[in-house]
Amino acid sequence: MSEINEELRRLIEDRESIKVVSSINREGIINSAPKGSLEISGKDELTYVEILESSKSYRNIVYSIWFDKKISILIVGKDRESYQIQGSVKKILTCGTEYEEYYRKYQEARGFD
């Protein structure tokens, strides 16, 4: 992905923005799902927490990694400004300290103990 400009950064960081991740399965069927946990991490990389390993999104993201398939992310702000980002999935975390940090942050943002 190229550098994230300030407007896109603002939209991603705004909790009221709608963020939708679209991915495909083996049969080429598209699955689009809202991801409230999408954020910028590292050097202009996007991350999100996928809670259920049995979800279509999770299975499709794993498929995207294995078979080098692209995903699409749509971000729509409250003023209807929008961006579509297309790219490749670099990694998926299922355990470990980095995963735990994201998971804790996700829970805290939603008021879970």
Side-chain angles (χ1 to χ4, degrees), residues 65-81:
I65 292 172
W66 288 350
F67 298 100
D68 195 29
K69 300 295 180 184
K70 303 286 187 202
I71 65 165
S72 177
I73 300 171
L74 175 65
I75 303 161
V76 182
K78 55 188 167 202
D79 295 331
R80 295 191 180 174
E81 61 223 301

Side-chain angles (χ1 to χ4, degrees), residues 15 19 34-38 106 110:
R15 291 195 43 84
K19 297 129 184 143
K35 301 297 175 188
S37 64
L38 185 74
Y106 174 86
R110 282 147 189 81

Side-chain angles (χ1 to χ4, degrees), residues 4 10 15 22 26 36 58 87 104-105:
I4 297 174
R10 182 182 52 75
R15 291 195 43 84
S22 297
R26 292 175 209 230
Y58 182 88
R104 256 190 232 109
K105 189 174 180 180

Side-chain angles (χ1 to χ4, degrees), residues 25-74:
N25 67 13
R26 292 175 209 230
E27 292 78 34
I29 298 170
I30 298 168
N31 178 64
S32 297
K35 301 297 175 188
S37 64
L38 185 74
E39 65 179 48
I40 301 168
S41 67
K43 224 178 174 184
D44 291 334
E45 294 180 348
L46 299 176
T47 61
Y48 80 91
V49 175
E50 185 65 58
I51 298 300
L52 298 173
E53 289 183 19
S54 61
S55 74
K56 287 180 185 178
S57 293
Y58 182 88
R59 289 192 310 263
N60 288 356
I61 293 298
V62 171
Y63 175 76
S64 295
I65 292 172
W66 288 350
F67 298 100
D68 195 29
K69 300 295 180 184
K70 303 286 187 202
I71 65 165
S72 177
I73 300 171
L74 175 65

Side-chain angles (χ1 to χ4, degrees), residues 93-104:
L93 302 173
T94 57
C95 63
T97 55
E98 190 177 358
Y99 173 81
E100 287 177 23
E101 287 174 30
Y102 283 113
Y103 187 73
R104 256 190 232 109

